[in-house]
Amino acid sequence: MSRALPKYNKRRVGLAGGAAAVALTGAVIAGTALAGESSDGGADARTLAGPGTVSCPDVASRLPAVPASAQAEVTRNLQQLDQQIAEANKRLVDTVGQGGPNFVRNAILGPLEDKRAAAIDRIALSIGRAAERPAGLAPLAACTLTK
């Protein structure tokens, strides 16, 4: 005895499966098309107010004369500081509406301050190898959020 479905059952299963696939595809397309629309037809409130930007003190203007032997390393670390700010601003945009009231401070500004402090310390060390190590650069690591 054959275990295969009789011909008329195969057609019924195939027809029902095809209809279900078409319905599911239509639902996915409609859901995608309507994603992000609010019930009042307006824009989402979170998109009207920007997430703000990260504002950090300028380190380059506070540095003493950089010896030629340290210039390449100082320049590289200054570029890292700029890149860190750009990444923090991107993360602000990507995470709008996430977390609680201290999310930006704990997830973006805190880690950014730690990264900046390390880069500023590397700058001071590289200058200190060839000249007097600059003092008072640590407060330049802290950044704020401007709206």
Side-chain angles (χ1 to χ4, degrees):
M1 182 171 188
S2 173
R3 291 183 182 210
L5 291 173
K7 218 177 218 184
Y8 63 91
N9 281 343
K10 286 183 188 177
R11 285 188 209 137
R12 189 179 328 154
V13 170
L15 182 61
V22 168
L24 182 60
T25 303
V28 168
I29 291 172
T32 304
L34 297 176
E37 290 193 18
S38 60
S39 59
D40 63 355
D44 189 5
R46 291 183 303 173
T47 60
L48 295 177
T53 58
V54 174
S55 176
C56 301
D58 183 35
V59 176
S61 65
R62 304 274 182 96
L63 294 177
V66 178
S69 62
Q71 186 64 49
E73 188 174 354
V74 169
T75 302
R76 184 174 51 253
N77 282 297
L78 288 173
Q79 289 172 346
Q80 282 182 351
L81 291 173
D82 292 338
Q83 182 181 0
Q84 291 167 356
I85 294 170
E87 289 170 357
N89 282 323
K90 182 181 181 317
R91 185 140 188 238
L92 274 174
V93 171
D94 293 345
T95 59
V96 169
Q98 291 183 10
N102 293 324
F103 177 78
V104 171
R105 176 75 197 135
N106 294 336
I108 298 174
L109 293 179
L112 175 61
E113 183 175 350
D114 294 341
K115 291 176 187 175
R116 284 179 59 83
I120 290 170
D121 193 42
R122 287 191 302 270
I123 290 171
L125 285 172
S126 64
I127 292 173
R129 286 188 201 113
E132 185 178 336
R133 183 176 175 165
L137 297 179
L140 299 176
C143 298
T144 58
L145 181 67
T146 57
K147 295 286 179 174

